[in-house]
Amino acid sequence: MSNDTTPPVRDNSGRFVKTAAEKVNAMSRTPEDGVHPMSRVLFGWTEARGIGGIIFWGMAGLSLLLVLLDLFIPRHEKIGIANSVGFYAIWGFAAFSFVVLMGWPLGRLLRRDENYYGDLSGPPADIDPAIADRLNAGEPKAFVGEE
């Protein structure tokens, strides 16, 4: 047995225990599968088999229930069309669809080219050639007045 290992720690009842620092360190390290332990605690249930179908059919059932309840709950809206059955379900679906579909033109408007900021392998093309030569030569990057 080598002397470079730390002796195990025992609690008052004689059981071997890990120190709190070891537990925290183990919780903060990402294991080899690349999934952080806290994300496994929070979102691990999403990996269960068939969870997508359960969520889909659960939401469909809830939506149907709310539309059916809409038949029996009287409304007193000022706009006549808002009193129709399922108006708010249709309005919500249309608004959600509009927002999702507006992501396409908004993305085209805001998205930039892959090399929008220039080539990242070297200095920008629009700087003084003397500075570019100095940067390419591997000299220190401090310039006159910068130290």
Side-chain angles (χ1 to χ4, degrees), residues 73-89:
I73 298 174
R75 287 213 206 112
H76 308 290
E77 300 290 338
K78 293 184 180 180
I79 300 173
I81 195 168
N83 285 323
S84 60
V85 175
F87 169 77
Y88 286 105

Side-chain angles (χ1 to χ4, degrees), residues 25-96:
N25 188 16
M27 281 298 290
S28 64
R29 267 186 281 129
T30 303
E32 275 104 38
D33 62 355
V35 179
H36 195 277
M38 187 53 83
S39 67
R40 195 177 307 279
V41 168
L42 293 174
F43 304 109
W45 61 272
T46 60
E47 294 178 357
R49 184 180 176 113
I51 196 70
I54 292 170
I55 292 173
F56 176 80
W57 290 111
M59 291 299 289
L62 180 64
S63 300
L64 183 64
L65 176 72
L66 291 174
V67 170
L68 289 175
L69 281 175
D70 200 19
L71 289 170
F72 302 109
I73 298 174
R75 287 213 206 112
H76 308 290
E77 300 290 338
K78 293 184 180 180
I79 300 173
I81 195 168
N83 285 323
S84 60
V85 175
F87 169 77
Y88 286 105
I90 294 168
W91 181 262
F93 182 76
F96 174 75

Side-chain angles (χ1 to χ4, degrees), residues 81-138:
I81 195 168
N83 285 323
S84 60
V85 175
F87 169 77
Y88 286 105
I90 294 168
W91 181 262
F93 182 76
F96 174 75
S97 300
F98 175 76
V99 169
V100 168
L101 293 176
M102 283 294 104
W104 176 73
L106 186 63
R108 290 191 58 137
L109 176 71
L110 298 177
R111 193 173 299 128
R112 298 292 178 242
D113 236 2
E114 187 174 317
N115 57 357
Y116 177 74
Y117 292 107
D119 186 19
L120 298 179
S121 63
D126 59 347
I127 66 170
D128 185 13
I131 295 173
D133 293 339
R134 185 175 170 190
L135 290 174
N136 286 332

